[in-house]
Amino acid sequence: MTILITGANGQLGRLVVAALLARGTAPDAIVAGARDLTRVADLAERGVRTAHVDYDSPASLSAALADVDSVLLVSGSQPGARVEGHRNVIDAAAAAGVTKLVYTSAPKATSVDWALGADHRATEQAIAESGIPAVIVRNNWYIENYLPDVQRAADTGVIAASVGDARIAPASRADFAEGAAVVLVEDGHIGQVYEFAGDTPISYDDIAAAASEVVGRDVSYVRLSTEEHIAALTSAGLDEGTAAFVAGIDTGIREGVLDISDSPLADLIGRPTTRFVDGLRAARA
């Protein structure tokens, strides 16, 4: 079986390649796809095959997918401008006869209408319409997402957000990468939609407490209204549209989009997910 990892030069894609290798997948059975092959040259030195993969270039996708059995489609990084590229990958995978497509989606993408969900909902629909045997893995928040907030809190003593009393269920990027690796290589996952999340939901007060422990000073969570959040973001230099989008993500969180308490992730990877405070420490190291 040959597995193509798209976006293999990125943080998640690299970790998926590492997880596949750690689980015994032969290096030459992995294809690391990237726009710039120099950024995966180190993987090539380890025996991993590499291929030019550009979501906006159907020709590159057709070439990369030749003789590939399974694909991990790592979602693009530009909200509002990535669905067409995703569709290009899906179309090329269908034409190549791929027998398993795994897609990294967003939590509750089809059941909750929230700022970050629209692209993922459209992509999941395109995958369903393609007929490709697929697995959807909806990754909750990465612990590493909070590193900038924690770094600022080291100076200010504050983590501010407009999520109210919401809970989230974060795990480390490596946890999610290992989950993706498992469903890529194991049988029995086709047709599943997995809400991947950490073992223990936490509040933003818990996040502030973990930040206090990591940075060595008192950190408090300050609750903002959506209007206050947008004003703070525009004062920091974001344009109105971007500020509203970012605050809209917090609205989704406030409404429970990241509050997952029954994730299969730990069972699939065979160990507990990373504790939030431990993930913060590792990210700052």
Side-chain angles (χ1 to χ4, degrees):
M1 181 176 68
T2 302
I3 303 169
L4 170 65
I5 309 300
T6 72
N9 57 298
Q11 293 173 306
L12 181 65
R14 280 185 167 278
L15 288 171
V16 175
V17 172
L20 288 169
L21 293 170
R23 286 178 171 268
T25 302
D28 62 359
I30 303 169
V31 181
R35 283 187 176 186
D36 181 355
L37 292 182
T38 64
R39 297 181 63 185
V40 290
D42 60 313
L43 297 177
E45 291 174 358
R46 298 176 63 184
V48 174
R49 294 160 57 187
T50 62
H52 177 226
V53 169
D54 182 343
Y55 293 178
D56 298 322
S57 169
S60 78
L61 298 172
S62 296
L65 283 159
D67 301 320
V68 165
D69 302 293
S70 299
V71 177
L72 175 66
L73 171 53
V74 177
S75 59
S77 59
Q78 294 183 321
R82 51 190 169 183
V83 176
E84 183 176 354
H86 292 172
R87 287 197 179 106
N88 288 339
V89 178
I90 295 162
D91 290 346
V98 164
T99 56
K100 182 189 290 185
L101 187 151
V102 179
Y103 173 60
T104 61
S105 190
K108 302 181 183 178
T110 57
S111 60
V112 176
D113 185 11
W114 67 300
L116 204 60
D119 290 349
H120 297 287
R121 183 167 55 252
T123 301
E124 289 190 26
Q125 182 178 352
I127 291 169
E129 292 171 350
S130 75
I132 302 172
V135 188
I136 306 299
V137 294
R138 295 174 173 168
N139 292 344
N140 209 281
W141 251 215
Y142 302 146
I143 293 171
E144 293 86 349
N145 288 354
Y146 290 94
L147 185 58
D149 297 303
V150 172
Q151 302 285 42
R152 285 191 295 271
D155 296 326
T156 66
V158 167
I159 290 177
S162 55
V163 302
D165 296 325
R167 299 193 311 166
I168 65 170
S172 72
R173 189 177 276 111
D175 294 339
F176 292 119
E178 192 169 351
V182 169
V183 300
L184 280 165
V185 300
E186 284 188 353
D187 294 329
H189 300 290
I190 295 296
Q192 296 297 316
V193 177
Y194 291 130
E195 295 282 353
F196 277 177
D199 295 340
T200 306
I202 60 175
S203 70
Y204 270 57
D205 288 314
D206 296 324
I207 290 172
S212 298
E213 188 174 337
V214 169
V215 304
R217 64 165 294 175
D218 289 339
V219 176
S220 300
Y221 164 46
V222 174
R223 290 160 172 78
L224 302 176
S225 68
T226 299
E227 293 74 18
E228 290 169 337
H229 195 181
I230 292 173
L233 292 168
T234 54
S235 295
L238 294 185
D239 63 82
E240 288 281 351
T242 303
F245 177 81
V246 172
I249 293 174
D250 272 22
T251 299
I253 296 172
R254 186 173 65 246
E255 294 175 351
V257 74
L258 300 183
D259 190 354
I260 306 291
S261 58
D262 56 352
S263 174
L265 181 57
D267 286 341
L268 285 173
I269 64 179
R271 59 172 176 80
T273 60
T274 305
R275 291 195 316 141
F276 187 81
V277 67
D278 294 336
L280 282 184
R281 287 199 185 98
R284 295 187 83 227

